[in-house]
Amino acid sequence: MASLILALAVTTTGLYAGFLLTFLFVVMPGLAALPDEGFTAAMRRINEKVPGPGFLIVFLGAIVFPAVTLVAGTNDREWPPTAAALGCSVVSHVVTIVGNIPLNKALAEAESVPGPVPAPTAVPASVAASPGGDAAQDGGGGGDGDDSAARTARTAFEARWNILHQVRTALSLAAFVLLIFAAN
């Protein structure tokens, strides 16, 4: 029974790490090429769709199955990497819950605010700066009004979200590798 639960831990953690890696290497670079309005609209729609039932099974499974594996019993060789994997998964989920999700909610709220959206205060320049520079952020237009609101929302969101995403991706990938080690 413990080996089945460990296999489920490896599977759900691997699926979650793969999901995050896909965002890191494919989705976010693709969205980064969009003009501000397209980026913010696409990210809002993605954030509406992600927390579906399939995702929640994988998201929660990356915590539940390693924890159950430890409780169900592991041998002396399996315990350290499984415990370390659980720790990595928990920290990754904390980053998601206290970092990425609030940014997602702020981006969604910015959509319903008419006119320019105020930029958050006390954001370090290194975090607030877009990796693509100003030309990538404004989509090539000089715009104001909706373009300005989209630019402000993107500036408040993109760089900070990407940094947090890189952290949670690395942690989830580490958890997956540790669980593979525990299962072998």
Side-chain angles (χ1 to χ4, degrees), residues 5 9 12-13 61-71 82 85-86 89 179:
I5 297 169
T12 55
T13 304
I63 297 284
V64 170
F65 290 123
V68 172
T69 298
L70 290 174
V71 171
T82 303
L86 177 59
S89 289
L179 287 170

Side-chain angles (χ1 to χ4, degrees), residues 56-130:
L56 290 176
I57 290 169
V58 171
F59 182 75
L60 296 174
I63 297 284
V64 170
F65 290 123
V68 172
T69 298
L70 290 174
V71 171
T74 57
N75 62 40
D76 290 342
R77 187 192 60 75
E78 293 171 345
W79 192 91
T82 303
L86 177 59
C88 288
S89 289
V90 167
V91 174
S92 172
H93 281 51
V94 168
V95 168
T96 298
I97 292 164
V98 300
N100 294 91
I101 291 174
L103 287 170
N104 293 346
K105 288 180 180 179
L107 186 66
E109 290 169 6
E111 181 177 40
S112 63
V113 176
V117 179
T121 58
V123 177
S126 63
V127 174
S130 169

Side-chain angles (χ1 to χ4, degrees), residues 123-153:
V123 177
S126 63
V127 174
S130 169
D134 291 338
Q137 282 201 5
D138 71 11
D144 49 5
D146 287 339
D147 288 343
S148 177
R151 185 177 314 109
T152 302

Side-chain angles (χ1 to χ4, degrees), residues 15-28:
L15 287 170
Y16 186 61
F19 174 80
L20 295 177
L21 282 169
T22 300
F23 252 83
L24 184 66
F25 294 131
V26 178
V27 175
M28 295 311 291

